[in-house]
Amino acid sequence: MQEKQTQGTKLEETISTKHLFEKCESIQLADFEFVGYELLDKDYCNSALNNCGGFDETFLPDELNKFGLISEYEKAYDVRKRLLENNPEEHHADCNVIAVWRHKTIGRAK
């Protein structure tokens, strides 16, 4: 964990540019809930799951959870592997697996 000051409050953030080597579904972060795994292209700019027009030979939209993410670690790495195998020339198919949490109250409608 890296700590930094933001607008007078302490913000803990997980920063990683390496591949995940453990399941994150059971990692508990105070005031956050795990929502799934994102596949971002190698530049960390575009979601291969939601912003690339679809890779139907590798996964279908109904395989994503309600957040548009992949819920399971094994499935995320399987999709990542097959994306590159099925689309070796596609820049956005070379992906990083990113675990995503969201805050339980901030930004929620009351």
Side-chain angles (χ1 to χ4, degrees), residues 34-37 50 61-72:
F34 178 77
V35 293
Y37 296 96
N50 295 292
D62 65 354
E63 295 178 64
L64 303 178
N65 66 23
K66 68 182 183 179
F67 302 105
L69 303 170
I70 298 172
S71 296
E72 300 85 24

Side-chain angles (χ1 to χ4, degrees), residues 55-108:
F55 292 105
D56 291 349
E57 75 288 340
T58 305
F59 72 93
L60 296 172
D62 65 354
E63 295 178 64
L64 303 178
N65 66 23
K66 68 182 183 179
F67 302 105
L69 303 170
I70 298 172
S71 296
E72 300 85 24
Y73 174 88
E74 292 84 3
K75 173 90 173 171
Y77 271 90
D78 179 59
V79 169
R80 175 185 176 264
K81 177 179 168 265
R82 290 185 297 118
L83 270 174
L84 195 53
E85 289 173 352
N86 294 335
N87 307 278
E89 301 300 319
E90 171 58 52
H91 176 80
H92 301 301
D94 188 0
C95 299
N96 299 290
V97 176
I98 308 295
V100 180
W101 286 262
R102 72 176 186 162
H103 198 272
K104 291 179 180 177
T105 58
I106 294 175
R108 305 290 177 90

